[in-house]
Amino acid sequence: MLTSTDFTGLFNERFFRNLLPKPALDEFRLGVGTPDFKLSDITNNRTLKLSDYRGKQPVLLAFTRIFTEKQYCPFCYPHIKALNENYEEFKNRGIEVLMITSTDKKQSQVVVQDLGLKMPLLSDPSCYTFRTYQVGQALGAPLPAQFMLDKDGKLLYRHLFSFLDHNATLERLLEQFN
């Protein structure tokens, strides 16, 4: 449930580490592999490595901006809902969607339940993966970004946050595999 007045859990170490703005850096080249990572999949209660998918299936890395289990970014909330509602469309095309959040495990568990997430929600409260992928940060949380990887883990498409174009549309993401 979306609330706008409860800021419990907002002012934590992650918030202050991500307070000052840093722009996203567009340094990953198309056709080249991206860094591996290992994160907790809160939706399915397991540990997941990106390299588990290499050689098997394409992956959409959807870095999202959730402040706390009760505070969603107004640009990301509709994107999260749209990805979740269309998760089966991605799966039917053989694409795994990995949503990555900077909320901790407890907050992420509430998000999974609150939004009825079907797709894996990966918890990265240290923001290490966000920094590795250079998505940028502002006002207490990393910025959203999307990276489409082919079945060999090579970058097909990337979308970095801007105030004019917050998140890639579902159509743009799905067309990468037509």
Side-chain angles (χ1 to χ4, degrees):
M1 178 157 86
L2 194 60
T3 21
S4 59
T5 57
D6 186 351
F7 295 102
T8 305
L10 178 64
F11 300 108
N12 56 23
E13 180 184 339
R14 180 206 57 185
F15 178 86
F16 293 107
R17 192 173 47 244
N18 290 284
L19 184 61
L20 297 177
K22 286 185 187 173
L25 299 176
D26 190 7
E27 295 190 358
F28 289 106
R29 293 187 4 245
L30 295 178
V32 176
T34 63
D36 195 15
F37 57 78
K38 181 177 172 182
L39 294 170
S40 294
D41 172 1
I42 305 303
T43 307
N44 301 297
N45 196 27
R46 63 183 175 163
T47 299
L48 189 145
K49 289 179 9 183
L50 178 60
S51 57
D52 293 342
Y53 295 93
R54 288 201 182 119
K56 297 177 184 162
Q57 72 182 113
V59 175
L60 165 60
L61 301 179
F63 290 87
T64 194
R65 188 170 161 93
I66 302 172
F67 298 106
T68 74
E69 69 277 14
K70 298 176 183 176
Q71 295 291 327
Y72 299 93
C73 165
F75 301 126
C76 294
Y77 181 74
H79 193 251
I80 295 167
K81 296 216 23 120
L83 285 173
N84 193 49
E85 289 166 5
N86 291 279
Y87 181 59
E88 289 304 315
E89 176 67 25
F90 284 94
K91 293 297 282 181
N92 289 341
R93 294 180 186 216
I95 305 162
E96 181 59 270
V97 178
L98 302 177
M99 180 159 285
I100 304 168
T101 178
S102 63
T103 51
D104 64 29
K105 185 175 182 177
K106 183 179 172 210
Q107 291 171 324
S108 297
Q109 288 169 334
V110 173
V111 169
V112 167
Q113 186 173 16
D114 189 39
L115 299 181
L117 293 185
K118 298 173 256 179
M119 63 194 151
L121 181 67
L122 309 182
S123 175
D124 182 20
S126 73
C127 301
Y128 178 78
T129 309
F130 287 88
R131 285 192 303 279
T132 300
Y133 278 76
Q134 301 175 12
V135 301
Q137 67 185 41
L139 303 173
L143 296 172
Q146 296 81 45
F147 295 83
M148 293 290 297
L149 310 178
D150 69 11
K151 73 176 185 69
D152 296 316
K154 294 181 179 156
L155 185 63
L156 291 174
Y157 171 82
R158 72 187 154 295
H159 181 275
L160 302 173
F161 174 85
S162 79
F163 282 106
L164 300 177
D165 193 10
H166 313 119
N167 290 290
T169 64
L170 289 178
E171 297 75 25
R172 197 178 312 154
L173 294 170
L174 286 167
E175 78 186 9
Q176 302 307 311
F177 291 101
N178 285 339

